[in-house]
Amino acid sequence: MKLLMKIQKEIKTNHGVALKKTMLTFSVLFMIGLAIQAQNVYVVDNNQGSGAQYTNAQTAIDSAAVGDIIYLQPSPNNYGNINMTKALNIYGIGHIPELNSGQVATVGSIFFRSGDASGSKISGLNISNIYLDNTAFNNHNVVIRNNRIGYIAGNSTTSRANNVIISGNYIRNPNFNAIDPYNSQNWIISNNLIEQPNTAATWSTLSRFNSSVLFNNNIVLTRQNGNAGNSIQLFNNCSGTQITNNIFLFTGTDVENMNLGSNSALNFQNNLTYSYNSTLDNLSGTNNIDDTDPQFVNFNQNASLNTTSNDYHIQTGSPAEDAGTDGNDLGVFNGTFPFSLRGYPTELPYLTDFVIYNNILSAGTQLNINIKASANINN
């Protein structure tokens, strides 16, 4: 569904004003997407001269009540670290937006250490790290969706950070262990792009997955080169995890398998593997498709996974077509999941076109804007 609007806003100034698109885009998005919500909405914008309610993200978070929405405007300035003290919904525009000169809302680390923030939702942001590792407060049922993230850490206990959903994200850690649930229970890690850019054979990406973790419908790319035994370590210290409907891609040299690491009883079912520069061994498990090109609509294995020219839909006739345990395609578009390569939050409409017809105004004249947006999934 497409949403086409023309908005006229009267600007009263003492002098003519040249308006910037960036200053208007998100205020309009805010009105379209959030005005109908029952929660309070806090707009945070640390651009110079923004005039927003808040310029500091943590101040807005501390001021908000449980269930409120924090909306971080795109900015060249990092919003810094965030301490979650209560259940909140924190949104950005996405991590590769079409407009706003590609600017995004970037934060440092998000810490779930200062209170019970169970039920929080984080979406549309560029995030360095997320830590769900506090042992004094519960932080269950957190949804982490449609972000760019470096690292996600779980909890050392089995009762503090459970039922976490990690979906639709681009996860890339230039070091090791991009996702580590530790002892957290019932994590669902699905429909993500996960990339290991390092070439070291022992730099694992997926760590300490337990038997309650579901890992499905992801596309994982690793650039690791094989060791002397032609092996790499993609999973490490994992046990009993159900691993289904994923596509594993290998661009390194001398890679025959991913058997390194202290793993046990991993259940690989209906996955596809493919190496661009080596010949892979068969994957253990059932109904796996071994060392076979998934035949994406468009894909450059030498570019980053989140390159916008990539199209991870499966071509007709591909071995990955309808090959999942549910009869749907393998990978991020499995079933009806609304995967967004640009990381647009499904709760908000997003702009696809923005035209200001008279960007130089005299006092008392009208601003004429034409906006085209795609509607959100929820509505």
Side-chain angles (χ1 to χ4, degrees):
M1 180 171 61
K2 295 291 184 183
L3 177 64
L4 184 62
M5 304 182 64
K6 181 175 287 187
I7 295 178
Q8 292 184 329
K9 180 179 179 181
E10 185 172 336
I11 308 294
K12 294 184 178 180
T13 63
N14 293 324
H15 305 282
V17 178
L19 295 173
K20 296 181 180 179
K21 293 182 182 181
T22 304
M23 294 176 64
L24 292 171
T25 301
F26 286 92
S27 294
V28 174
L29 259 180
F30 160 71
M31 290 187 292
I32 294 172
L34 300 177
I36 61 173
Q37 301 292 331
Q39 301 98 325
N40 294 318
V41 178
Y42 296 83
V43 178
V44 184
D45 188 346
N46 64 5
N47 284 277
Q48 184 175 3
S50 69
Q53 294 168 282
Y54 294 91
T55 58
N56 183 278
Q58 190 62 52
T59 302
I61 288 168
D62 294 341
S63 300
V66 171
D68 283 348
I69 294 170
I70 307 294
Y71 190 67
L72 301 183
Q73 301 268 20
S75 172
N77 308 309
N78 195 305
Y79 283 96
N81 295 338
I82 288 176
N83 291 302
M84 299 295 292
T85 58
K86 59 185 79 78
L88 296 171
N89 303 288
I90 304 182
Y91 299 131
I93 187 179
H95 54 78
I96 321 177
E98 292 171 90
L99 301 180
N100 300 286
S101 301
Q103 288 186 4
V104 300
T106 300
V107 300
S109 294
I110 300 180
F111 296 102
F112 287 79
R113 294 174 176 172
S114 301
D116 187 339
S118 296
S120 291
K121 180 178 289 186
I122 310 293
S123 186
L125 301 174
N126 182 13
I127 307 166
S128 294
N129 308 293
I130 298 177
Y131 294 94
L132 292 142
D133 57 356
N134 187 271
T135 56
F137 302 100
N138 291 331
N139 284 288
H140 302 311
N141 306 306
V142 173
V143 176
I144 303 167
R145 180 173 292 156
N146 292 18
N147 306 281
R148 174 172 177 157
I149 311 170
Y151 172 61
I152 305 172
N155 206 287
S156 61
T157 73
T158 60
S159 59
R160 289 297 187 193
N162 299 332
N163 310 315
V164 172
I165 296 175
I166 302 169
S167 63
N169 304 283
Y170 170 55
I171 303 171
R172 179 186 185 275
N173 188 354
N175 295 309
F176 50 86
N177 298 343
I179 308 176
D180 181 2
Y182 204 172
N183 289 321
S184 298
Q185 300 292 297
N186 302 317
W187 279 28
I188 298 176
I189 305 167
S190 68
N191 304 89
N192 302 285
L193 298 177
I194 302 171
E195 182 171 0
Q196 171 54 275
N198 196 283
T199 60
T202 57
W203 281 37
S204 58
T205 301
L206 309 169
S207 180
R208 292 191 285 199
F209 286 14
N210 55 58
S211 59
S212 73
V213 172
L214 296 180
F215 188 81
N216 52 51
N217 309 123
N218 303 285
I219 296 175
V220 181
L221 181 147
T222 176
R223 304 196 184 279
Q224 295 165 276
N225 297 321
N227 67 357
N230 298 333
S231 297
I232 64 168
Q233 178 176 284
L234 185 62
F235 292 86
N236 185 48
N237 201 19
C238 300
S239 177
T241 306
Q242 184 74 25
I243 303 169
T244 59
N245 301 344
N246 303 286
I247 295 175
F248 294 96
L249 305 174
F250 304 81
T251 63
T253 58
D254 302 317
V255 178
E256 294 181 0
N257 58 67
M258 50 182 173
N259 292 343
L260 290 182
S262 55
N263 304 299
S264 64
L266 299 184
N267 186 2
F268 290 95
Q269 185 176 358
N270 293 69
N271 301 280
L272 179 147
T273 63
Y274 185 56
S275 173
Y276 291 91
N277 294 304
S278 300
T279 300
L280 292 173
D281 296 337
N282 289 348
L283 192 64
S284 64
T286 58
N287 297 321
N288 296 300
I289 303 169
D290 297 302
D291 206 11
T292 303
D293 190 338
Q295 299 178 28
F296 298 122
V297 170
N298 193 59
F299 179 62
N300 179 0
Q301 70 269 21
N302 296 315
S304 174
L305 274 186
N306 72 331
T307 299
T308 56
S309 59
N310 288 342
D311 186 342
Y312 295 106
H313 287 94
I314 301 300
Q315 295 184 46
T316 301
S318 163
E321 184 181 20
D322 302 330
T325 55
D326 53 3
N328 291 307
D329 294 349
L330 303 183
V332 292
F333 287 105
N334 176 277
T336 59
F337 186 83
F339 179 80
S340 169
L341 184 59
R342 294 182 179 275
Y344 293 130
T346 57
E347 297 80 5
L348 304 177
Y350 60 89
L351 292 181
T352 59
D353 193 26
F354 188 104
V355 179
I356 299 176
Y357 292 104
N358 56 333
N359 62 325
I360 304 296
L361 302 181
S362 299
T365 60
Q366 289 184 329
L367 171 67
N368 296 315
I369 308 172
N370 196 68
I371 296 172
K372 188 176 183 181
S374 286
N376 66 65
I377 300 299
N378 290 353
N379 292 330

